[in-house]
Amino acid sequence: MAQEAHREHWGSRIGFILAAAGSAVGLGNIWRFPYITGKYGGAAFVLVYLALIFIVGFSVMLAEMAIGRKAQLNAVGSFQKLRGGAWPIVGWMGVLAGFMILSFYGVIGGWTIKYFIWSFTGLMGDAAAGKAGDVFGAFVTNTPQVIMYQAIFMLITIWVVYKGIGEGIEKYCKILMPALFVILLILIVRSVTLEGAGKGLEFYLKPDFSKLTGESFAAALGQAFFSLSLGMGCMITYGSYVDKQTTLPGAAIQVCVIDTMVAILAGLAIFPAVFAFGVDAGAGPGLTFVTLPSVFAKMAGSSIWSALFFLLLFIAALTSAISLLEVVAAYVIDKGWARPKAAVIMGLLIFALGVPSAMSLTGAPKIAGKDFLDAMDFLSSNVLLPLGGVFIALFVGWFWTADARREVTNEGTHSFGMMEPWIWVCRVIAPLGILYIFITGLKW
């Protein structure tokens, strides 16, 4: 058990909270949440999303943190130590999902770097001329350039994980997460003061429950689950670096609050602007890289607003990418690898797997009719993550219950008033809800 004796730990509770929140806060909050909200009717969807975050999302997150802290090991090692048998397969699914997700996440992270620079070097002129779609298409089909920016993004990610928990992940998340909130608040002030912004605020903040459908609930549940980085071992891994004095329920609720705040604030930054300029609020993923540059181009100081937004996206992508690489690196570190070796080799392997995703929009070979990037996204997000989430919830709810109770109460020294509801959410509600995501998502 030498790996436990020398295991790194977070230097402070706030360091852990910000790192875990950074893992949860990603492109899904800023890129996906606004257009999903726009598609499913605005404020009513947001209310459903909030309820599901604090029922299903919180419960699975707390389960993952408890597993990791008790075992003091990576995702695979945690299940091996706590139960054995076939359970380590759940950890393997998380490691594999992290590997696959980061491979294409690095590509999109590279796009954010390109667009940040581009904001000062011609993007606003092209967008003002109505060419935002053309320039995006030209960029993503320029494979050498896409791979170059992917490499830059991955090198930054590798560097932070290379530096370790205290001097790497915790240190940089303490800088990046406050910066993310400052940028968001600046963008909100600009957005809500635009002429015509009131329509966007009304759409976003005034519920219209007549627009809610079964599909809306499925989308809200899926967004709640995926936006918290659940099912991929991130919170098990980060939980393994938590000291025994930290109260896990409080930490989990704080992470959920921060993650949700970012998503809600992103909507406040985007909806008033898109309504002020008459843009479709449910425009899909293109809302970020095609529609919003056209919106920024119509503002005074357009380059500044565009650059701030894509810097925001970069920070969100980076904090999630760091946690994904840490999941993979932690496995081999616990097997005896030195951290620098683990960060560099695993990071380079993930980069190599991401190259076909970088080429996927240039006519590269497809997998069952899907672009490579879409195929990686489908297999990880629609198969591995939901299955991982189901088994993590079942593990705590039915197979590791007594130990889970002790872990979340710090061996009985702290009370947790929601213990029984939490256990039953893990036993029944979360598995059924996540299985619903899994079944509805299996549309290859």
Side-chain angles (χ1 to χ4, degrees):
M1 306 302 285
Q3 64 265 48
E4 290 185 50
H6 299 96
R7 193 163 197 78
E8 298 172 89
H9 283 89
W10 304 109
S12 63
R13 176 187 171 86
I14 189 62
F16 165 57
I17 298 296
L18 291 176
S23 171
V25 170
L27 293 174
N29 299 70
I30 298 167
W31 176 6
R32 191 172 186 271
F33 180 77
Y35 85 76
I36 288 289
T37 301
K39 181 178 180 181
Y40 291 107
F45 175 86
V46 173
L47 291 176
V48 174
Y49 169 76
L50 289 173
L52 292 171
I53 277 279
F54 290 102
I55 296 172
V56 176
F58 164 78
S59 298
V60 179
M61 176 173 288
L62 180 56
E64 290 200 28
M65 288 181 177
I67 290 168
R69 186 173 72 172
K70 179 64 176 178
Q72 295 283 288
L73 289 168
N74 62 86
V76 179
S78 290
F79 284 102
Q80 181 67 58
K81 179 179 178 180
L82 299 180
R83 196 74 180 183
W87 284 104
I89 295 173
V90 180
W92 274 113
M93 287 194 295
V95 172
L96 180 59
F99 199 100
M100 293 170 65
I101 292 170
L102 185 51
S103 73
F104 66 81
Y105 215 81
V107 176
I108 300 170
W111 295 358
T112 68
I113 298 173
K114 169 64 176 179
Y115 266 67
F116 172 76
I117 297 170
W118 213 349
S119 295
F120 297 107
T121 57
L123 175 62
M124 291 297 93
D126 290 327
K131 298 178 181 178
D134 294 335
V135 296
F136 177 69
F139 166 60
V140 296
T141 53
N142 185 339
T143 299
Q145 197 172 74
V146 173
I147 292 175
M148 179 186 76
Y149 283 105
Q150 174 201 2
I152 293 170
F153 183 85
M154 285 302 301
L155 285 173
I156 297 170
T157 305
I158 290 168
W159 169 252
V160 175
V161 175
Y162 178 102
K163 295 293 287 182
I165 299 301
E167 289 301 309
I169 299 173
E170 182 172 355
K171 176 181 177 180
Y172 288 101
C173 284
K174 282 182 174 179
I175 298 170
L176 292 170
M177 290 305 294
L180 182 145
F181 274 99
V182 169
I183 295 169
L184 258 179
L185 292 173
I186 293 171
L187 288 169
I188 288 169
V189 171
R190 169 69 280 200
S191 185
V192 300
T193 54
L194 291 168
E195 185 177 350
K199 293 179 181 178
L201 288 172
E202 181 179 357
F203 170 82
Y204 191 47
L205 300 176
K206 184 178 179 181
D208 181 359
F209 293 101
S210 67
K211 294 182 179 179
L212 287 181
T213 64
E215 187 179 354
S216 303
F217 279 89
L221 183 58
Q223 179 68 18
F225 182 76
F226 297 125
S227 75
L228 289 172
S229 297
L230 302 175
M232 65 183 79
C234 289
M235 294 304 163
I236 293 177
T237 304
Y238 276 15
S240 73
Y241 305 127
V242 176
D243 61 50
K244 293 295 184 181
Q245 287 69 50
T246 298
T247 54
L248 293 182
I253 201 73
Q254 286 175 283
V255 174
C256 288
V257 168
I258 293 172
D259 177 78
T260 305
M261 282 178 61
V262 171
I264 299 298
L265 291 175
L268 285 174
I270 291 171
F271 285 115
V274 298
F275 272 82
F277 293 106
V279 175
D280 179 11
L287 178 69
T288 302
F289 291 99
V290 178
T291 306
L292 285 178
S294 300
V295 170
F296 294 133
K298 297 174 183 177
M299 299 181 183
S302 56
S303 293
I304 297 297
W305 303 117
S306 177
L308 278 173
F309 177 76
F310 288 107
L311 177 60
L312 175 74
L313 270 187
F314 166 75
I315 292 172
L318 179 61
T319 54
S320 289
I322 290 166
S323 70
L324 290 167
L325 181 54
E326 181 62 23
V327 169
V328 179
Y331 172 74
V332 291
I333 290 171
D334 285 345
K335 290 294 183 181
W337 286 32
R339 173 171 285 276
K341 175 183 175 182
V344 171
I345 292 180
M346 292 297 106
L348 291 176
L349 288 173
I350 291 169
F351 168 76
L353 180 62
V355 169
S357 288
M359 301 169 61
S360 63
L361 298 177
T362 61
K366 298 179 182 293
I367 300 176
K370 281 187 176 288
D371 293 332
F372 194 86
L373 190 154
D374 291 335
M376 290 294 100
D377 186 14
F378 178 88
L379 291 171
S380 55
S381 300
N382 293 53
V383 179
L384 293 174
L385 295 193
L387 288 178
V390 166
F391 286 114
I392 287 167
L394 291 174
F395 179 74
V396 166
W398 294 101
F399 299 92
W400 191 65
T401 312
D403 287 312
R405 291 176 187 272
R406 287 192 290 270
E407 192 62 32
V408 300
T409 58
N410 292 34
E411 300 296 332
T413 60
H414 292 81
S415 62
F416 177 38
M418 299 299 292
M419 179 68 76
E420 293 309 314
W422 172 61
I423 292 295
W424 280 102
V425 169
C426 289
R427 284 178 173 174
V428 179
I429 297 173
L432 289 177
I434 300 167
L435 275 174
Y436 181 65
I437 299 173
F438 175 67
I439 293 167
T440 56
L442 285 180
K443 298 175 182 177
W444 185 278

